[in-house]
């Protein structure tokens, strides 16, 4: 029952924290969250903000390469691939990758095949899955996103676009500078980021996140040196998702930005 689940979560979390350090420790709570099914942040369809503002990422009709950091099992990758784009998602949790492959097969009839296992002799440190969907493709890189531009061999760079829904707001604030640097390096000059940010005051007991609040001042501090920033939309989510009020916050806004690399 619930007691067993709670003890299991504690033991998993304790084990990960005792046996990991550095970049591995950063991943511990994601492994723990997926292990106990704490993945309520996933929608059962493509995100409405993506479908509404995808034209900001792709003003023309040409096929683009799109990076999706901390992708989990999001339908958004399937949506982007169905538009004809070549999508690369990165996540460190094997269960997320497995559930995404099941989702693609069951919902979209698409199969991802293992093409690289991250072994020392291979060209990349990631376990790589890839398949076609519509006129596009999906590649799933299983491994640490922060190693994307620092890995061996053929780590992908030169993306046309990055779609960030739930990545920047999920990572620890102390990791933001490194995260943004990784995105910047992965993106080609003139490339764009569609960023979905959140603004809120602390939750119950003073907890700041996740999801963490990312204000316009935060966005400017992180991105303004290398990106042109445009706010596209701001929506009060409290009436739509009353769960946030129960968590103790007095406001909860979702803001959509498009960032263009200088």
């Amino acid at each position: 029952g619930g007691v067993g689940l709670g003890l299991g979560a504690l033991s998993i979390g304790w084990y990960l924290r005792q046996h990991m350090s550095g970049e591995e420790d950063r991943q511990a709570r994601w492994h723990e969250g997926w292990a106990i099914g704490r993945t309520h942040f996933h929608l059962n369809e493509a995100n409405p903000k993506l479908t509404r503002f995808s034209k900001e990422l792709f003003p023309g009709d040409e096929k683009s390469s799109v990076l999706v950091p901390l992708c989990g099992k999001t339908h958004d990758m399937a949506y982007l691939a169905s538009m004809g784009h070549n999508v690369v998602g990165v996540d460190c949790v094997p269960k997320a990758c497995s559930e995404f492959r099941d989702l693609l097969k069951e919902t979209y009839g698409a199969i991802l095949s293992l093409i690289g296992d991250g072994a020392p002799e291979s060209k990349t440190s990631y376990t790589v899955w890839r398949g076609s969907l519509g006129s596009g493709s999906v590649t799933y890189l299983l491994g640490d996103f922060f190693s994307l531009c620092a890995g061996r061999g053929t780590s992908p760079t030169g993306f046309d676009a990055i779609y960030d829904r739930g990545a920047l707001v999920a990572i620890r604030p102390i990791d933001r500078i490194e995260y943004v640097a990784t995105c910047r390096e992965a993106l080609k000059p003139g490339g764009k980021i569609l960023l979905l940010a959140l603004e809120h005051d602390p939750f119950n007991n003073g907890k700041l996140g996740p999801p963490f609040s990312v204000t316009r001042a935060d966005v400017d501090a992180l991105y303004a040196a290398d990106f042109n920033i445009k706010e596209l939309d701001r929506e009060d989510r409290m009436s739509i998702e009353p769960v946030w009020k129960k968590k103790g916050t007095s406001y909860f806004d979702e803001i959509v930005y498009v960032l263009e690399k200088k």
Side-chain angles (χ1 to χ4, degrees), residues 9 28-42 207 210:
R29 63 187 175 90
W30 301 117
H31 288 271
E32 182 179 342
W34 279 88
I36 64 175
R38 192 172 62 230
T39 58
H40 57 274
F41 46 83
H42 280 297
K207 186 177 180 182

Side-chain angles (χ1 to χ4, degrees), residues 46 75-87 104 108 132-138:
H75 284 265
D76 297 338
M77 289 198 291
Y79 172 79
L80 289 165
S82 71
M83 294 175 64
H85 303 302
N86 295 318
V87 184
L104 274 194
Y108 301 95
S132 299
L133 199 164
S135 57
S137 67
V138 175

Side-chain angles (χ1 to χ4, degrees), residues 34 39 42-43 71-75 77 91 96 99-100 103 140:
W34 279 88
T39 58
H42 280 297
L43 302 179
C71 60
K73 58 176 181 179
T74 177
H75 284 265
M77 289 198 291
D91 205 291
E99 292 189 10
F100 178 72
L103 171 73
Y140 202 112

Side-chain angles (χ1 to χ4, degrees), residues 23 27 66 69 76 78 84 89 96 107 136-137 154 198 204 233 246:
E23 67 183 37
Q27 301 172 16
V66 188
D76 297 338
T107 306
S137 67
T154 55
L198 300 170
N204 293 323
D233 186 64
K246 294 179 182 178

Side-chain angles (χ1 to χ4, degrees), residues 4 7 21 30 61 106 140 171 181 198-200 204 220 225 240:
L7 291 175
S21 61
W30 301 117
D61 295 327
E106 295 167 7
Y140 202 112
I171 61 173
L198 300 170
E199 293 182 11
H200 60 80
N204 293 323
D220 287 342
I240 305 170

Side-chain angles (χ1 to χ4, degrees), residues 62-192:
E62 66 276 6
K63 178 179 290 191
S64 299
S65 57
V66 188
L67 175 64
V68 184
L70 281 60
C71 60
K73 58 176 181 179
T74 177
H75 284 265
D76 297 338
M77 289 198 291
Y79 172 79
L80 289 165
S82 71
M83 294 175 64
H85 303 302
N86 295 318
V87 184
V88 177
V90 187
D91 205 291
C92 66
V93 183
K95 184 175 173 62
C97 180
S98 175
E99 292 189 10
F100 178 72
R101 299 198 312 272
D102 290 343
L103 171 73
L104 274 194
K105 182 178 180 181
E106 295 167 7
T107 306
Y108 301 95
I111 304 293
L112 295 189
S113 300
L114 181 65
I115 64 169
D117 61 3
E121 65 274 11
S122 68
K123 294 181 179 179
T124 177
S125 59
Y126 293 96
T127 301
V128 184
W129 298 80
R130 182 172 296 158
S132 299
L133 199 164
S135 57
S137 67
V138 175
T139 300
Y140 202 112
L141 303 182
L142 180 60
D144 183 20
F145 175 77
F146 291 83
S147 300
L148 184 69
C149 298
R152 63 180 182 266
T154 55
S155 293
T157 56
F159 286 94
D160 299 309
I162 294 175
Y163 171 59
D164 181 336
R165 184 266 173 180
L168 181 62
V169 299
I171 61 173
R172 301 175 302 180
I174 60 171
D175 293 324
R176 288 176 181 174
I177 291 176
E178 185 180 356
Y179 169 80
V180 171
T182 302
C183 290
R184 181 182 65 243
E185 190 170 345
L187 196 63
K188 73 177 187 181
K192 294 182 178 181

